[in-house]
Each structure stands twice: as C-alpha cells, then as structure tokens.
C-alpha cells in the first residue's frame, strides 16, 4: 500500500481542482468528511480510484495492480465522490496527475496483450518467431493515414487494443489475404501486415485460421506519414 500511496494524489486537505472543460475554472474541494465517514473504503469512477486509509484520502488512476493491493488489504467498496474522474485535475500537481494517467494507460495495453496471449494459449494459437514478425508491418494503435486515387482515410488495427471482448476474440489468430498482402491478428492482439504469401504456411502451422478481415495496403493505397511509409517500404516480400 505504501507504493500505491506514493503513486497517488493526497486530497486529505482542501485541494484546488481545475476544470478544463469550463475554461480552467478553479474549485477547492474538501474531502475531510469523506475521509472520516468512509475510512477503510474505496470508490471508482471513470477509471479513477479514490481510497481512504487511516483517514487519509488518496486518488489514483485505475489499474489492475492497484485494485489487487486494495483487495488484498481489505478495503470495502463504497459510493462517494471521486475527484479527478470527470476531466478535472489537481491544479498544483497537474504534472504528476497526467504522468500517473499515462502510466495507467500503458498498463491497460500490457493487460490487453497478456489477456490476448492467455486466450491464444488456451485455444492453440502459437507465437511466431521474432524473425518472422520483423518481416511484417505492425499496425500502430494511432492508425495509418493513407491516400488512394479516389479517397483518403486512416486504417486502424483490426482490434481495439484496449480490452479483450467478444469482437477481439473473434479476430485473434485470424488472417486474410488479398492482392499479395496478408493481414493477421497476432498472439498478443496486435495487427500485422505482410507482403506476399510466404507467411501463410507459417500462420497455418501456428494454428491461425482464415477469416474475412480487411486487408490494408492491398488496393494501391499510399501511406501518407513519411516514417510509416518508410517502414512499409522496408518490409520484405519474402
């Protein structure tokens, strides 16, 4: 719990809060009564946790690791106000709060990868070698802007890459080919694109199944972002 407190914002004393959606309007919140009434409890809202230990009130972004600690020490789930859970942030600890948010977001991606890997292991979908993956293009979470003779758009990974739900499970270990390009959703839930059909046997041998996935870059599209375009150009066809 000591480390969780360190990676939290203490709001036991009156705290100045900013609301960016209202023109950075300031407001002072006082959690004293909450700390007294709900000692030994926690509440969550919008991926934010407020917990109270020894009458001290703390706020931290939601992560599995934090919830594991909270459950281990036996804090009770209650319903009360959770600061910083509606776009607001602590005025005098803004940098720390946004850093904690970023660290939490990265943990969600790790959770996603681990959950995908667990599901694939349980369903006979095996990993590919690093050498094979290096010969493929990994679709970035932010997407790939492309242009075509008739349109411009952005191509995204086949899965949301945030949580494993039924839509992700339907695509894990699946591949599709079109016009010399092969797209597949890998063991870790990320989307890869290969040039040429050399990878098909590798996928089938690893337990991947053909499906009706959209195949990026298979209809003459050009990648607009120069860095991503270079990465794609360097992908081997064999």
């Amino acid at each position: 719990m000591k480390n969780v407190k360190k990676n939290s914002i203490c709001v036991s004393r009156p705290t100045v809060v900013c609301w960016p959606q209202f023109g950075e309007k300031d407001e002072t919140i006082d959690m004293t009564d909450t700390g007294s009434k709900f000692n030994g409890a926690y509440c969550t809202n919008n991926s934010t946790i407020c917990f109270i230990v020894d009458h001290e009130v703390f706020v931290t972004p939601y992560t599995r690791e934090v919830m594991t600690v909270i459950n281990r020490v036996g804090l009770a789930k209650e319903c009360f106000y959770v600061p910083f859970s509606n776009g607001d942030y602590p005025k005098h600890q803004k940098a720390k709060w946004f850093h904690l948010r970023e660290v939490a977001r990265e943990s969600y991606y790790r959770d996603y990868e681990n959950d995908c890997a667990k599901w694939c292991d349980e369903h006979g979908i095996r990993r590919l070698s690093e050498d094979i993956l290096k010969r493929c293009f990994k679709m970035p979470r932010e997407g790939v802007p492309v242009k075509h003779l008739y349109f411009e758009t952005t191509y995204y990974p086949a899965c949301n890459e945030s949580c494993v739900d039924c839509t992700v499970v339907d695509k894990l270990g699946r591949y599709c080919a079109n016009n010399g390009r092969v797209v597949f959703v890998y063991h870790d839930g990320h989307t890869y694109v290969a040039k040429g059909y050399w990878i098909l046997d590798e996928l089938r041998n690893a337990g991947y199944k053909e499906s009706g996935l959209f195949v990026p870059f298979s209809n003459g599209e050009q990648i607009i972002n120069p860095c991503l375009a270079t990465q794609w150009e360097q992908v081997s066809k064999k």
Side-chain angles (χ1 to χ4, degrees):
M1 180 55 74
K2 181 179 180 181
N3 192 53
V4 174
K5 289 181 180 180
K6 180 181 178 181
N7 292 304
S8 303
I9 303 294
C10 182
V11 292
S12 298
R13 297 179 180 178
T15 304
V16 180
V17 173
C18 278
W19 295 85
Q21 61 268 54
F22 300 115
E24 301 297 331
K25 179 182 177 181
D26 287 356
E27 176 188 19
T28 299
I29 60 171
D30 190 339
M31 300 291 288
T32 304
D33 290 343
T34 301
S36 298
K37 183 178 180 180
F38 295 101
N39 187 45
Y42 76 95
C43 185
T44 63
N45 186 54
N46 293 336
S47 298
T48 307
I49 306 171
C50 182
F51 63 94
I52 304 164
V53 178
D54 297 328
H55 300 286
E56 287 191 299
V57 186
F58 298 88
V59 183
T60 192
Y62 184 100
T63 67
R64 289 186 184 179
E65 292 83 355
V66 171
M67 283 306 306
T68 297
V69 174
I70 284 176
N71 290 326
R72 187 176 68 236
V73 301
L75 298 187
K77 186 174 183 179
E78 297 285 356
C79 185
F80 52 84
Y81 175 64
V82 180
F84 321 143
S85 64
N86 288 290
D88 50 319
Y89 61 85
K91 182 176 182 178
H92 302 300
Q93 296 188 72
K94 177 181 179 180
K96 179 179 180 179
W97 178 248
F98 279 84
H99 172 70
L100 293 175
R101 281 289 194 195
E102 181 58 31
V103 171
R105 277 192 291 270
E106 289 302 318
S107 80
Y108 304 154
Y109 295 127
R110 291 194 301 273
D111 292 340
Y112 169 79
E113 292 175 338
N114 292 334
D115 290 346
C116 286
K118 180 180 178 181
W119 190 93
C120 286
D121 288 341
E122 292 172 349
H123 291 80
I125 300 167
R126 296 180 293 281
R127 300 176 188 270
L128 301 174
S129 70
E130 285 299 317
D131 180 64
I132 291 175
L133 292 180
K134 287 179 180 178
R135 295 159 63 191
C136 303
F137 179 86
K138 182 179 179 180
M139 295 289 290
R141 294 192 300 253
E142 300 78 13
V144 182
V146 299
K147 63 180 178 180
H148 188 271
L149 181 62
Y150 300 109
F151 63 85
E152 288 191 12
T153 188
T154 299
Y155 291 156
Y156 292 96
C159 300
N160 60 50
E161 299 197 359
S162 59
C163 65
V164 179
D165 56 19
C166 61
T167 65
V168 172
V169 167
D170 284 343
K171 296 175 182 176
L172 284 174
R174 299 293 188 267
Y175 72 87
C176 190
N178 185 54
N179 293 335
R181 305 289 182 257
V182 179
V183 65
F184 61 96
V185 181
Y186 186 51
H187 184 275
D188 60 4
H190 295 300
T191 302
Y192 287 83
V193 184
K195 292 180 180 177
Y197 297 143
W198 61 269
I199 198 172
L200 292 179
D201 285 342
E202 300 286 353
L203 292 171
R204 291 166 184 151
N205 291 337
Y208 290 68
K209 305 296 183 182
E210 188 170 10
S211 182
L213 298 175
F214 172 74
V215 184
F217 323 134
S218 63
N219 288 290
E221 308 94 324
Q222 293 183 338
I223 298 176
I224 296 173
N225 182 290
C227 292
L228 295 178
T230 298
Q231 291 179 33
W232 175 245
E233 289 171 4
Q234 293 174 346
V235 171
S236 172
K237 293 183 179 180
K238 295 183 180 180

